[in-house]
């Protein structure tokens, strides 16, 4: 499949010359903002024919989302350590229930059957029959507590594959390094009953977004490029798994053929899987989903939507938007879709995840503003 060319991030914390030490950077770990202090997003910059509205603004630090068949939306967080249930109501004003607190970076979550699975740093938790008991502050079961516990790139995403296994990324514990534990910089395939895991994809620096193609059932994932190589290299990546166990380049090769100045000298780009799509460096492409509904029209059938969380370490900001990859004769074509959160150098929000909802809309979580947005196509 041909690959797109770079177009317009990597929200990593680092200490120059000390890549193996995790440092909470001021940008990434500011106190959760007060809603009144947030800038209002400007409602220009939305693809013509579409509209966006706030679904709820009561989900501080909202990250990955998962929706039940009845429309209850479960939402993870990173800094806040909480889990939310967003319950729809007939008047369009959903109720938000905080059903867990005090967790360590419970950023990733996914539904499997009636159970909610949550990735919280070194643990994967299971909340059985979550839709019937989230109001009772349920106690989770521990699927595993044996994942790496490094905070640097330790927040995770979760996905359920067609095989009913969990897929769990484990980021590199550094800006760039070559770790001996093969679980770092990888995506794991995990048995949801036992927690046993094997490496499904190697050389993945920091993936915080995954989705399965609705027709091919292949896993696609975002990956954030390393820092300290300049404003425009290396690119953020969108990758596809064709062969389980393949290597995607990190820390040796970035993008299609950029050798790492420290680790790449003796490595041939041809030995690694190149990205399907390259996105502007530092845009922080994270949460993603394929659109399988009918409401957006045939031109968006199976389109891939991506949350670009936005840069923290670039001379001018990039990202802070939702982009879309449409497939034209099997060729991925990248373009901005909702670009409303960045005005000049001031950002009013940071998209963290996207979800193709059961009602045909696209939901967008904003961990800076504590909001869930709902994007719909206008009636003609």
């Amino acid at each position: 499949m041909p690959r797109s060319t770079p177009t317009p991030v990597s929200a990593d914390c680092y200490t120059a010359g000390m890549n193996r030490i995790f440092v909470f950077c001021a940008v990434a770990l500011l106190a959760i903002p007060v809603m009144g202090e947030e800038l209002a997003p400007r409602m220009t910059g939305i693809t013509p024919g579409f509209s966006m509205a706030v679904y709820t603004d009561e989900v501080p630090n909202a990250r990955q989302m998962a929706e039940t068949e009845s429309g209850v939306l479960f939402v993870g967080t990173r800094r806040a350590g909480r889990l939310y249930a967003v319950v729809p109501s007939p008047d369009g004003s959903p109720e938000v229930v905080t059903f867990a607190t005090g967790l360590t970076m419970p950023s990733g979550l996914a539904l499997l059957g009636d159970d909610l699975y949550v990735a919280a740093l070194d643990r994967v938790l299971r909340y059985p029959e979550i839709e019937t008991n989230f109001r009772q502050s349920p106690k989770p079961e521990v699927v595993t507590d044996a994942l790496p516990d490094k905070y640097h790139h330790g927040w995770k995403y979760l996905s359920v594959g067609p095989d009913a296994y969990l897929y769990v990324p484990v980021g590199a514990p550094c800006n760039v390094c070559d770790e001996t534990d093969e679980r770092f910089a990888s995506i794991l395939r995990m048995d949801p009953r036992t927690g046993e895991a094997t490496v499904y994809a190697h050389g993945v620096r920091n993936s915080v977004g995954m989705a399965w193609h609705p027709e091919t059932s292949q896993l696609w994932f975002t990956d954030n490029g390393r820092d300290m190589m300049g404003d425009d290299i290396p690119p953020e990546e969108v990758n596809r798994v064709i062969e389980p166990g393949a290597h995607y380049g990190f820390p040796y090769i970035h993008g299609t053929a950029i050798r790492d100045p420290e680790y790449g000298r003796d490595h041939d780009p041809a030995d690694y899987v190149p990205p399907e799509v390259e996105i502007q460096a530092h845009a922080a492409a994270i949460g993603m989903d394929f659109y399988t509904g009918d409401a957006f029209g045939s031109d968006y059938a199976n389109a891939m939507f991506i949350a670009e969380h936005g840069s923290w370490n670039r001379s001018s900001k990039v990202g802070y938007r939702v982009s879309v990859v449409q497939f034209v004769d099997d060729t991925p074509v990248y373009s901005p879709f909702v670009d409303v959160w960045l005005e000049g150098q001031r950002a009013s929000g940071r998209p963290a995840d996207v979800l193709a909802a059961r009602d045909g809309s696209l939901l967008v979580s904003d961990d800076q503003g504590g909001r869930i947005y709902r994007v719909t196509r206008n009636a003609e």
Side-chain angles (χ1 to χ4, degrees):
M1 179 182 292
R3 287 173 288 277
S4 69
T5 54
T7 19
V9 167
S10 198
D12 306 314
C13 304
Y14 71 91
T15 297
M18 300 177 67
N19 289 332
R20 296 174 186 270
I21 299 177
F22 178 81
V23 177
F24 286 111
C25 67
V27 174
L29 293 176
L30 290 172
I32 298 169
V34 177
M35 293 301 300
E37 297 175 352
E38 289 298 305
L39 298 168
R42 52 190 175 81
M43 288 304 158
T44 57
I46 300 175
T47 296
F50 291 86
S51 299
M52 188 175 77
V54 175
Y55 180 51
T56 178
D57 60 1
E58 298 179 358
V59 282
N61 197 223
R63 295 283 291 195
Q64 190 176 0
M65 302 173 287
E67 185 188 31
T68 69
E69 290 187 7
S70 68
V72 175
L73 189 69
F74 294 104
V75 186
T77 64
R78 182 176 152 197
R79 300 184 306 273
R82 307 171 193 159
L83 298 173
Y84 307 110
V86 181
V87 186
S89 65
D91 66 0
S93 300
E95 175 192 11
V96 178
V97 177
T98 301
F99 67 90
T101 60
L103 299 174
T104 305
M105 297 196 299
S107 176
L109 46 74
L111 289 160
L112 178 55
D114 295 327
D115 302 340
L116 179 71
Y117 289 80
V118 176
L121 189 59
D122 59 340
R123 301 189 296 165
V124 173
L125 308 174
R126 176 173 50 239
Y127 291 83
E129 299 180 351
I130 185 61
E131 194 169 6
T132 62
N133 63 19
F134 67 84
R135 295 183 186 277
Q136 282 73 53
S137 299
K139 244 188 146 164
E141 301 170 353
V142 177
V143 176
T144 182
D145 57 4
L147 292 174
D149 62 357
K150 304 298 185 183
Y151 277 73
H152 197 137
H153 296 151
W155 53 96
K156 294 174 174 63
Y157 201 84
L158 274 186
S159 183
V160 175
D163 56 1
Y165 270 60
L166 298 174
Y167 288 77
V168 189
V170 178
C174 56
N175 175 32
V176 58
C177 55
D178 195 358
E179 290 291 320
T180 56
D181 185 340
E182 71 168 358
R183 296 175 302 171
F184 284 119
S186 78
I187 294 174
L188 303 179
R189 177 180 181 267
M190 180 179 292
D191 188 326
R193 297 158 297 180
T194 66
E196 294 181 4
T198 57
V199 176
Y200 188 71
H202 296 271
V204 181
R205 179 178 178 271
N206 182 33
S207 178
V208 201
M210 299 181 292
W212 299 84
H213 192 281
E215 292 182 349
T216 67
S217 296
Q218 292 174 331
L219 179 64
W220 292 64
F221 62 90
T222 56
D223 191 12
N224 286 189
R226 64 157 289 178
D227 299 315
M228 302 175 68
M229 287 184 69
D231 275 2
D232 298 314
I233 59 170
E236 311 289 57
E237 300 179 10
V238 179
N239 292 283
R240 175 172 58 131
V241 177
I242 299 174
E243 293 292 336
H247 199 294
Y248 290 81
F250 180 84
Y252 317 115
I253 304 297
H254 309 291
T256 299
I258 301 171
R259 285 184 171 87
D260 187 83
E262 185 174 355
Y263 294 101
R265 179 175 301 174
D266 299 323
H267 293 266
D268 184 350
D271 293 336
Y272 304 98
V273 181
E276 298 287 339
V277 180
E278 295 183 345
I279 296 174
Q280 166 65 44
H282 307 297
I286 55 174
M288 60 176 289
D289 201 10
F290 286 99
Y291 185 81
T292 55
D294 299 324
F296 280 17
S298 59
D299 45 340
Y300 288 93
N302 298 333
M304 179 199 308
F305 289 94
I306 301 168
E308 297 184 18
H309 198 226
S311 57
W312 65 270
N313 59 339
R314 192 176 186 276
S315 61
S316 60
K317 294 182 185 298
V318 291
Y320 304 94
R321 65 187 183 186
V322 172
S323 54
V324 63
V325 175
Q326 294 163 284
F327 295 88
V328 180
D329 297 328
D330 290 332
T331 300
V333 179
Y334 167 95
S335 60
F337 183 69
V338 177
D339 193 359
V340 301
W341 292 280
L342 183 62
E343 189 163 12
Q345 293 299 292
R346 301 189 72 189
S348 60
R350 303 191 75 182
D353 194 24
V354 290
L355 178 68
R358 295 180 185 276
D359 65 0
S361 65
L362 182 75
L363 300 178
V364 182
S365 65
D366 168 11
D367 67 347
Q368 174 179 306
R371 305 181 182 100
I372 305 292
Y373 292 92
R374 184 170 176 263
V375 181
T376 55
R377 187 147 203 170
N378 301 336
E380 295 184 358

